[in-house]
Amino acid sequence: AQKITQTQPGMFVQEKEAVTLDCTYDTSDPSYGLFWYKQPSSGEMIFLIYQGSYDQQNATEGRYSLNFQKARKSANLVISASQLGDSAMYFCAMREMESSGDKLTFGTGTRLAVRP
Amino acid sequence: NAGVTQTPKFQVLKTGQSMTLQCAQDMNHNSMYWYRQDPGMGLRLIYYSASEGTTDKGEVPNGYNVSRLNKREFSLRLESAAPSQTSVYFCASSDGQGVAFYNEQFFGPGTRLTVL
């Protein structure tokens, strides 16, 4: 079974609108962390936001927020007020502390295109 | 601080040739990682090193060897390159603390390798 599933290979959003990128995960480890990374066309991996399994509140970082629904095992990324520079690949990733330590497992990514 | 650096940026090899990809970090991180990124596959872990002197296999270790030369440097060697190893290779590092702490992985710029 896939540990991280991103079901949207590609998405479009209009500039200035909000967009949600889906991520579901599968783990039996009680301690885990969820990460989102952005990969623009230049290729570098840019960390966006982190959510720990014990965090009570959803993480937010500027225009990025993480809609964490633990019971559903989902960790969707919400980008508010989309900008042209948000066009990129977005990867969801998970750390499972007990079973895999510091290692990250990545999803296959979602390519977001922001339309002017 | 340079962060995570990788050399070379691009490389073309013929089948059967060998080469070593170099990675260095200046953030005094304990953990270092090598990933490969193929279209539609996300990032997959090849090898990682939780601390100086230790290395462990990741998801796709076959055909690769690694050396954690010191705390700063973690190299990836292809002994006999195959076309299936054509990919983009990323090195990353992290602090290696518990999952209770926000602990992102910092990525290098990547090496684009083509094996003919």
Side-chain angles (χ1 to χ4, degrees), chain A residues 31-33 35 37 39 42-45 47 50 52-55 91 95 97 100 102-109, chain B residues 31 33 35 37 40-43 45 48 50 57-58 90 94 96-109:
Chain A
S31 298
Y32 56 90
F35 300 76
Y37 282 84
Q39 186 179 42
S42 51
E44 72 268 33
M45 295 288 288
F47 167 77
Y50 165 82
S53 59
Y54 296 119
D55 292 343
F91 292 97
R95 273 181 75 200
M97 194 56 201
S100 64
D102 289 332
K103 292 184 290 184
L104 285 179
T105 302
F106 284 83
T108 53
Chain B
S31 301
Y33 314 82
Y35 294 91
Q37 183 178 24
M41 300 289 288
L43 277 78
L45 184 66
Y48 70 104
K57 295 178 181 179
F90 286 97
S94 70
Q97 296 184 32
V99 76
F101 301 96
Y102 141 78
N103 182 22
E104 68 180 276
Q105 288 187 11
F106 294 82
F107 284 79

Side-chain angles (χ1 to χ4, degrees), chain B residues 53-113:
Chain B
T54 68
T55 60
D56 284 289
K57 295 178 181 179
E59 182 185 353
V60 287
N62 290 348
Y64 305 95
N65 285 302
V66 290
S67 296
R68 183 74 182 266
L69 304 169
N70 47 55
K71 194 171 186 179
R72 289 188 63 249
E73 297 171 291
F74 187 39
S75 63
L76 178 73
R77 183 160 178 84
L78 287 70
E79 290 291 353
S80 178
S84 60
Q85 293 178 305
T86 293
S87 189
V88 180
Y89 291 85
F90 286 97
C91 177
S93 71
S94 70
D95 228 350
Q97 296 184 32
V99 76
F101 301 96
Y102 141 78
N103 182 22
E104 68 180 276
Q105 288 187 11
F106 294 82
F107 284 79
T111 294
R112 189 173 294 274
L113 175 67

